């Protein structure tokens, strides 16, 4: 029952989070034009750059918050973490709803330091499930719950924004966040300790560490996490740079090059969420079983295929490949088709990394692991949007896609070189743990 409530909270969280997303590039454009007093010579270029900087700023804020928030979850629990998250969301959306300048838009991102709803939900699922297929399936459903909110939010926000009011969606998000915070009271205060087997395992690990959870500092927990799963963290942060380059560029490509309006922008984002969520829900579990249950193979294959499709996109939109792109009518379908495929592998990659790493690190450091993962993801998104928009302005869709593809090829080579050593390290860690238990 508690897992179902977590899923519902994630739906609300994602809906409120994404309801303003299709409007933001249009809002930035409007604010830049209003501030120009008569219009800048190249307001579109300035708006593109400003949009990239705002995305990077928000990611920097979340990077700081995620790093701390995982440790807070380990100490205070998921319920308190969720309350903090939803109240921070409400404050952020309220400031957004009264924004009349770029400075106010930046200010609306500051409460994002405590916005970590998906991190809280992932930690709850990890604590309520056992390692292996059960956890992978539960994390897959969690991503699907987020996808439902991700489908409803952009579409609803796009439709509302197309009526001329760019702030009504933010006002709805304030009410939704407060309602979600009230539902958190239904969760148990001792979330994560209700499953007896999990509690016993955690107790054993506490003993081998020489004390209770509270006696282990954040630095010790972080050191454990890095030693055990450094390669997975490397994969997550580097691939996230490329993905954030593409995701920040996509709304600008849709708005400026493919000429979509607010409602169409929301529809495109919703379709992309839906396609990725469908694949994640119905294909990730069977794929993992088909590969012998080794989730690391799903990680590797997702990285390889994303690199391939980014390079295909670069070739198709290259000025040297004129046969396919000669007619402008083909561009939206090609671009969106590749984006849908990439989103499928991106969902599989993120879910698989989380499922694998939480099975490797000790239970007492799982919240810290989740915080570090989200923080690194935010670091990548701090770099990616500004770089991606700059490449898009200078080299177009082809240049941006080529840069993303090369990043994934680099990660693939790194994985092939270091992956066997990680297997050995993991085996040695497991053997050591068994010896200590005996």
């Amino acid at each position: 029952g508690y897992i179902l409530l977590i899923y519902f909270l994630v739906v609300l969280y994602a809906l409120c989070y994404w309801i303003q997303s299709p409007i933001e590039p249009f809002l930035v454009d409007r604010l830049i034009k209003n501030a120009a007093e008569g219009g800048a010579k190249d307001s579109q270029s300035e708006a593109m750059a400003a949009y990239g900087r705002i995305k990077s700023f928000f990611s920097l804020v979340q990077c700081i918050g995620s790093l701390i928030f995982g440790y807070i979850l380990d100490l205070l629990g998921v319920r308190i973490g969720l309350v903090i998250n939803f109240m921070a969301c409400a404050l952020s959306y309220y400031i957004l709803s009264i924004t009349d300048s770029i400075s106010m838009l930046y200010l609306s991102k500051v409460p994002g330091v405590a916005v970590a709803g998906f991190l809280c939900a992932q930690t709850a699922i990890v604590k309520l499930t056992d390692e292996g297929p059960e956890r992978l399936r539960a994390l897959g459903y969690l991503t699907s719950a987020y996808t439902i909110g991700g489908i409803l939010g952009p579409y609803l926000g796009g439709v509302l924004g197309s009526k001329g009011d760019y702030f009504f969606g933010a006002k709805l998000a304030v009410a939704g966040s407060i309602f979600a915070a009230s539902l958190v009271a239904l969760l148990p205060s001792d979330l994560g300790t209700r499953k007896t087997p999990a509690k016993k395992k955690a107790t054993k690990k506490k003993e081998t560490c020489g004390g209770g959870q509270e006696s282990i500092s954040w630095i010790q927990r972080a050191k454990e996490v890095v030693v055990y799963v450094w390669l997975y963290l490397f994969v997550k942060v580097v691939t996230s740079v490329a993905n954030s380059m593409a995701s920040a560029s996509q709304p600008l490509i849709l708005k400026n090059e493919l000429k979509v309006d607010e409602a169409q922008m929301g529809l495109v984002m919703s379709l992309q969420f839906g396609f990725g969520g469908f694949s994640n829900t119905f294909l990730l579990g069977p794929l993992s079983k088909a590969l012998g249950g080794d989730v690391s193979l799903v990680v590797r294959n997702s990285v390889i295929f994303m690199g391939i499709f980014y390079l295909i996109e670069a070739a198709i939109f290259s000025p040297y490949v004129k046969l396919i792109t000669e007619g402008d009518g083909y561009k939206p379908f090609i671009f969106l088709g590749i984006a849908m495929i990439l989103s499928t592998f991106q969902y599989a990659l993120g879910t698989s990394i989380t499922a694998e790493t939480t099975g490797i690190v000790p239970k007492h450091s799982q919240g810290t692991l989740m915080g570090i993962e989200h923080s690194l993801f935010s670091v990548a998104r701090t770099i990616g949007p500004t770089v991606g928009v700059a490449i898009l302005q200078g080299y177009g869709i082809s240049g941006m896609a080529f840069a993303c593809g090369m990043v994934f090829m680099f990660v693939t080579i790194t994985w092939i070189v270091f992956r066997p050593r990680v297997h050995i390290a993991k085996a040695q860690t497991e053997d050591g743990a068994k010896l200590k238990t005996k």
Side-chain angles (χ1 to χ4, degrees):
Y2 294 130
I3 290 181
L4 292 178
L5 179 56
I6 292 292
Y7 291 158
F8 182 68
L9 289 173
V10 167
V11 172
L12 283 176
Y13 170 72
L15 191 154
C16 296
Y17 184 89
W18 287 102
I19 196 170
Q20 197 72 8
S21 57
I23 302 303
E24 194 160 90
F26 297 93
L27 176 61
V28 170
D29 192 46
R30 177 186 289 183
L31 295 174
I32 290 292
K33 287 178 179 177
N34 291 344
E37 295 181 357
K41 289 184 178 178
D42 192 4
S43 60
Q44 179 174 296
S45 178
E46 174 58 27
M48 290 176 67
Y51 180 75
R53 289 193 295 267
I54 288 170
K55 300 288 279 187
S56 292
F57 175 74
F58 179 61
S59 296
L60 176 62
V61 169
Q62 286 218 303
C63 171
I64 298 169
S66 295
L67 200 58
I68 302 169
F69 216 90
Y71 186 54
I72 291 175
L73 289 174
D74 281 334
L75 294 181
L76 303 180
V78 173
R79 190 168 72 165
I80 293 177
L82 282 168
V83 171
I84 294 172
N85 162 77
F86 283 118
M87 296 312 296
C89 286
L91 177 59
S92 175
Y93 304 143
Y94 172 73
I95 298 173
L96 178 59
S97 71
I98 59 173
T99 292
D100 59 1
S101 66
I102 289 293
S103 299
M104 282 284 287
L105 191 56
Y106 274 102
L107 182 62
S108 72
K109 307 298 181 183
V110 174
V113 72
V115 173
F118 198 69
L119 168 60
C120 294
Q122 282 182 317
T123 305
I125 293 298
V126 167
K127 291 181 179 296
L128 291 169
T129 58
D130 293 323
E131 177 187 347
E134 180 193 0
R135 180 173 298 165
L136 179 62
R137 184 168 54 253
L139 288 170
Y141 289 145
L142 182 69
T143 305
S144 299
Y146 187 86
T147 301
I148 293 172
I151 292 172
L152 297 175
Y155 180 73
L156 179 60
V159 171
L160 293 173
S162 66
K163 307 298 182 183
D165 187 348
Y166 283 0
F167 303 108
F168 189 68
K171 295 171 185 176
L172 287 179
V174 173
S177 298
I178 294 174
F179 174 61
S182 67
L183 291 179
V184 174
L186 300 175
L187 292 171
S189 58
D190 58 345
L191 180 60
T193 63
R194 297 181 68 82
K195 290 185 66 175
T196 305
K199 188 174 182 180
K200 288 180 178 178
K201 289 180 184 177
T203 304
K204 288 181 180 179
K205 289 191 176 180
K206 287 180 194 176
E207 292 170 356
T208 60
C209 292
Q213 292 184 29
E214 293 78 7
S215 67
I216 306 174
S217 69
W218 181 87
I219 294 177
Q220 289 175 303
R221 296 173 197 252
K223 194 173 180 181
E224 274 186 333
V225 167
V226 172
V227 168
Y228 291 154
V229 296
W230 69 268
L231 183 58
Y232 288 96
L233 297 178
F234 170 83
V235 171
K236 185 148 195 169
V237 70
V238 178
T239 57
S240 294
V241 170
N243 288 330
S244 63
M245 288 167 57
S247 63
S249 301
Q250 179 174 301
L252 300 176
I253 293 170
L254 292 170
K255 173 179 172 290
N256 299 328
E257 298 196 30
L258 304 183
K259 307 301 180 185
V260 304
D261 60 22
E262 295 91 341
Q264 292 169 335
M265 180 80 78
L267 178 60
V268 167
M269 290 183 174
S270 294
L271 288 174
Q272 195 167 345
F273 261 108
F275 187 79
F278 171 83
S279 301
N280 190 64
T281 301
F282 296 103
L283 299 181
L284 182 57
L287 178 61
S288 177
K289 290 181 180 179
L291 293 172
D294 190 351
V295 183
S296 64
L297 292 177
V298 181
V299 174
R300 185 199 66 186
N301 293 337
S302 296
V303 170
I304 292 173
F305 281 109
M306 288 189 74
I308 291 172
F309 277 99
Y310 271 124
L311 294 178
I312 290 174
E313 182 179 45
I316 290 175
F317 284 92
S318 169
Y320 302 105
V321 183
K322 298 179 179 179
L323 181 62
I324 298 178
T325 60
E326 186 174 353
D328 289 340
Y330 289 104
K331 287 185 177 181
F333 300 102
I334 296 171
F335 178 78
L336 294 176
I338 294 176
M340 296 290 186
I341 295 171
L342 286 168
S343 68
T344 302
F345 290 111
Q346 187 175 345
Y347 272 100
L349 178 62
T351 303
S352 299
I353 286 178
T354 300
E356 182 76 353
T357 54
T358 53
I360 296 174
V361 301
K363 283 186 179 293
H364 61 254
S365 294
Q366 286 174 342
T368 302
L369 164 68
M370 308 295 275
I372 290 175
E373 276 196 15
H374 280 251
S375 182
L376 290 175
F377 183 54
S378 297
V379 168
R381 290 186 299 171
T382 301
I383 302 167
T386 302
V387 174
V389 171
I391 294 175
L392 178 65
Q393 288 179 301
Y395 302 98
I397 300 174
S398 179
M400 188 274 300
F402 180 77
C404 292
M406 294 309 296
V407 169
F408 274 88
M409 291 299 105
F410 168 69
V411 172
T412 299
I413 293 171
T414 305
W415 181 274
I416 292 172
V417 171
F418 289 101
R419 180 58 190 149
R421 300 181 189 178
V422 175
H423 271 308
I424 293 171
K426 182 178 177 182
Q428 289 175 341
T429 301
E430 290 172 347
D431 290 342
K434 289 177 183 176
L435 287 173
K436 285 184 178 181
T437 303
K438 292 179 181 180

Coordinates of all heavy atoms in Angstrom, one line a residue, residues 253-288:
I253 N 14.9 24.0 -30.7 CA 14.8 23.5 -32.1 C 13.3 23.5 -32.5 O 13.0 23.9 -33.6 CB 15.4 22.1 -32.2 CG1 16.9 22.2 -32.0 CG2 15.1 21.5 -33.6 CD1 17.6 20.9 -31.8
L254 N 12.5 23.0 -31.6 CA 11.1 22.9 -31.9 C 10.5 24.3 -32.1 O 9.7 24.5 -33.1 CB 10.3 22.2 -30.8 CG 10.6 20.7 -30.6 CD1 10.0 20.2 -29.3 CD2 10.1 19.9 -31.8
K255 N 10.8 25.2 -31.3 CA 10.2 26.6 -31.3 C 10.8 27.4 -32.5 O 10.0 28.0 -33.3 CB 10.5 27.3 -30.0 CG 10.1 28.8 -30.0 CD 10.4 29.4 -28.7 CE 10.2 30.9 -28.7 NZ 11.2 31.6 -29.5
N256 N 12.1 27.4 -32.7 CA 12.7 28.3 -33.7 C 12.9 27.7 -35.1 O 12.7 28.4 -36.0 CB 14.1 28.8 -33.1 CG 14.0 29.5 -31.8 OD1 13.0 30.2 -31.6 ND2 15.0 29.4 -31.0
E257 N 13.2 26.4 -35.1 CA 13.4 25.8 -36.5 C 12.2 25.1 -37.0 O 12.0 25.1 -38.2 CB 14.6 24.9 -36.4 CG 15.9 25.7 -36.0 CD 17.2 24.8 -36.3 OE1 17.1 24.0 -37.3 OE2 18.2 25.0 -35.6
L258 N 11.5 24.4 -36.1 CA 10.3 23.6 -36.6 C 9.0 24.4 -36.4 O 7.9 23.9 -36.7 CB 10.3 22.3 -35.9 CG 11.6 21.4 -36.0 CD1 11.4 20.1 -35.3 CD2 11.9 21.2 -37.5
K259 N 9.1 25.6 -35.7 CA 8.0 26.5 -35.6 C 6.7 26.0 -34.9 O 5.6 26.2 -35.4 CB 7.6 27.0 -37.0 CG 8.7 27.6 -37.9 CD 9.4 28.8 -37.2 CE 10.6 29.3 -38.0 NZ 11.3 30.4 -37.3
V260 N 6.9 25.2 -33.8 CA 5.8 24.7 -33.1 C 5.3 25.8 -32.1 O 6.1 26.7 -31.7 CB 6.1 23.4 -32.3 CG1 6.6 22.4 -33.2 CG2 7.1 23.7 -31.2
D261 N 4.0 25.8 -31.8 CA 3.5 26.8 -30.8 C 3.5 26.1 -29.4 O 3.9 25.0 -29.2 CB 2.1 27.2 -31.2 CG 1.1 26.1 -31.3 OD1 1.3 25.0 -30.7 OD2 0.0 26.3 -32.0
E262 N 2.9 26.8 -28.4 CA 2.9 26.3 -27.0 C 2.2 25.0 -26.9 O 2.7 24.1 -26.2 CB 2.2 27.4 -26.1 CG 3.0 28.7 -26.0 CD 2.5 29.7 -27.0 OE1 1.8 29.3 -28.0 OE2 2.8 30.9 -26.8
A263 N 1.0 24.9 -27.5 CA 0.2 23.6 -27.3 C 1.0 22.4 -28.0 O 1.0 21.3 -27.5 CB -1.2 23.8 -27.9
Q264 N 1.5 22.7 -29.2 CA 2.3 21.7 -29.9 C 3.5 21.3 -29.1 O 3.9 20.1 -29.1 CB 2.6 22.1 -31.3 CG 1.4 22.3 -32.2 CD 1.8 23.0 -33.5 OE1 2.7 23.8 -33.6 NE2 1.0 22.8 -34.5
M265 N 4.2 22.2 -28.5 CA 5.4 21.9 -27.7 C 5.0 21.0 -26.6 O 5.7 20.0 -26.3 CB 6.0 23.2 -27.1 CG 7.2 23.0 -26.2 SD 8.7 22.8 -27.2 CE 9.0 24.5 -27.7
G266 N 3.9 21.3 -25.9 CA 3.4 20.4 -24.8 C 3.1 19.0 -25.3 O 3.4 18.0 -24.6
L267 N 2.4 18.9 -26.4 CA 2.1 17.6 -27.0 C 3.3 16.8 -27.3 O 3.4 15.6 -27.0 CB 1.2 17.8 -28.3 CG 0.8 16.6 -29.0 CD1 -0.1 15.7 -28.1 CD2 0.0 16.9 -30.3
V268 N 4.3 17.4 -27.9 CA 5.5 16.7 -28.3 C 6.2 16.2 -27.0 O 6.6 15.0 -27.0 CB 6.5 17.7 -29.0 CG1 7.9 17.0 -29.1 CG2 6.0 17.9 -30.4
M269 N 6.3 17.0 -26.0 CA 7.0 16.6 -24.7 C 6.2 15.4 -24.1 O 6.8 14.5 -23.6 CB 7.1 17.7 -23.8 CG 8.0 18.8 -24.2 SD 8.2 20.1 -22.9 CE 9.5 21.1 -23.5
S270 N 4.9 15.5 -24.2 CA 4.0 14.4 -23.6 C 4.2 13.1 -24.4 O 4.3 12.1 -23.8 CB 2.6 14.9 -23.6 OG 2.3 16.0 -22.8
L271 N 4.2 13.2 -25.7 CA 4.4 12.0 -26.5 C 5.8 11.4 -26.2 O 5.9 10.1 -26.2 CB 4.3 12.3 -28.0 CG 2.8 12.7 -28.5 CD1 2.9 13.2 -29.9 CD2 1.9 11.5 -28.3
Q272 N 6.8 12.2 -26.0 CA 8.1 11.7 -25.8 C 8.1 11.0 -24.4 O 8.7 9.9 -24.3 CB 9.1 12.8 -25.8 CG 10.6 12.3 -25.9 CD 11.5 13.5 -26.2 OE1 11.1 14.5 -26.7 NE2 12.8 13.3 -26.0
F273 N 7.5 11.6 -23.4 CA 7.4 10.9 -22.1 C 6.7 9.6 -22.2 O 7.1 8.6 -21.7 CB 6.7 11.8 -21.1 CG 7.6 12.6 -20.2 CD1 7.7 13.9 -20.4 CD2 8.3 12.0 -19.2 CE1 8.6 14.7 -19.6 CE2 9.1 12.7 -18.3 CZ 9.2 14.0 -18.5
G274 N 5.6 9.6 -23.0 CA 4.8 8.4 -23.1 C 5.5 7.3 -23.8 O 5.4 6.1 -23.3
F275 N 6.2 7.6 -24.8 CA 6.9 6.5 -25.6 C 8.0 5.9 -24.7 O 8.2 4.7 -24.7 CB 7.5 7.1 -26.9 CG 8.1 6.1 -27.8 CD1 7.3 5.4 -28.6 CD2 9.5 6.0 -27.8 CE1 7.9 4.4 -29.5 CE2 10.1 5.1 -28.7 CZ 9.3 4.3 -29.5
G276 N 8.8 6.8 -24.0 CA 9.8 6.3 -23.2 C 9.3 5.5 -22.0 O 9.8 4.4 -21.6
G277 N 8.2 5.9 -21.4 CA 7.6 5.2 -20.3 C 7.0 3.9 -20.7 O 7.2 2.9 -19.9
F278 N 6.4 3.8 -21.9 CA 5.9 2.5 -22.4 C 7.1 1.5 -22.5 O 7.0 0.3 -22.1 CB 5.2 2.7 -23.7 CG 4.8 1.4 -24.4 CD1 3.7 0.8 -24.0 CD2 5.7 0.9 -25.4 CE1 3.3 -0.4 -24.7 CE2 5.3 -0.3 -26.0 CZ 4.1 -1.0 -25.6
S279 N 8.1 1.9 -23.1 CA 9.3 1.0 -23.3 C 9.9 0.6 -22.0 O 10.2 -0.6 -21.8 CB 10.4 1.7 -24.1 OG 9.8 2.1 -25.4
N280 N 10.0 1.6 -21.0 CA 10.5 1.3 -19.7 C 9.7 0.3 -18.9 O 10.2 -0.6 -18.3 CB 10.7 2.6 -18.9 CG 11.5 2.4 -17.7 OD1 12.7 2.1 -17.8 ND2 11.0 2.6 -16.5
T281 N 8.4 0.5 -19.0 CA 7.5 -0.4 -18.2 C 7.4 -1.8 -18.8 O 7.4 -2.8 -18.0 CB 6.0 0.2 -18.2 OG1 6.1 1.5 -17.7 CG2 5.1 -0.6 -17.4
F282 N 7.3 -2.0 -20.1 CA 7.0 -3.3 -20.7 C 8.2 -4.0 -21.3 O 8.2 -5.2 -21.5 CB 5.9 -3.1 -21.8 CG 4.6 -2.6 -21.3 CD1 4.2 -1.3 -21.4 CD2 3.8 -3.5 -20.6 CE1 3.0 -0.9 -20.9 CE2 2.6 -3.1 -20.1 CZ 2.2 -1.8 -20.3
L283 N 9.3 -3.3 -21.4 CA 10.5 -3.9 -22.1 C 11.7 -4.0 -21.2 O 12.5 -4.9 -21.4 CB 10.9 -3.1 -23.3 CG 9.8 -2.9 -24.4 CD1 10.4 -2.1 -25.6 CD2 9.4 -4.3 -24.9
L284 N 11.8 -3.2 -20.2 CA 13.0 -3.2 -19.4 C 13.2 -4.5 -18.6 O 14.2 -5.1 -18.6 CB 13.1 -2.0 -18.4 CG 14.3 -1.9 -17.5 CD1 15.6 -1.8 -18.3 CD2 14.2 -0.7 -16.6
G285 N 12.1 -4.9 -17.9 CA 12.2 -6.2 -17.1 C 12.5 -7.4 -18.0 O 13.4 -8.2 -17.7
P286 N 11.7 -7.6 -19.1 CA 12.0 -8.8 -20.0 C 13.4 -8.7 -20.6 O 14.0 -9.7 -20.7 CB 10.9 -8.6 -21.1 CG 9.8 -7.9 -20.4 CD 10.4 -7.0 -19.5
L287 N 13.8 -7.5 -20.9 CA 15.2 -7.3 -21.5 C 16.2 -7.8 -20.5 O 17.2 -8.5 -20.8 CB 15.4 -5.9 -21.9 CG 16.8 -5.6 -22.5 CD1 17.1 -6.4 -23.7 CD2 16.9 -4.1 -22.8
S288 N 16.1 -7.4 -19.2 CA 17.0 -7.8 -18.2 C 17.1 -9.3 -18.0 O 18.1 -9.9 -17.9 CB 16.6 -7.1 -16.9 OG 17.5 -7.5 -15.8

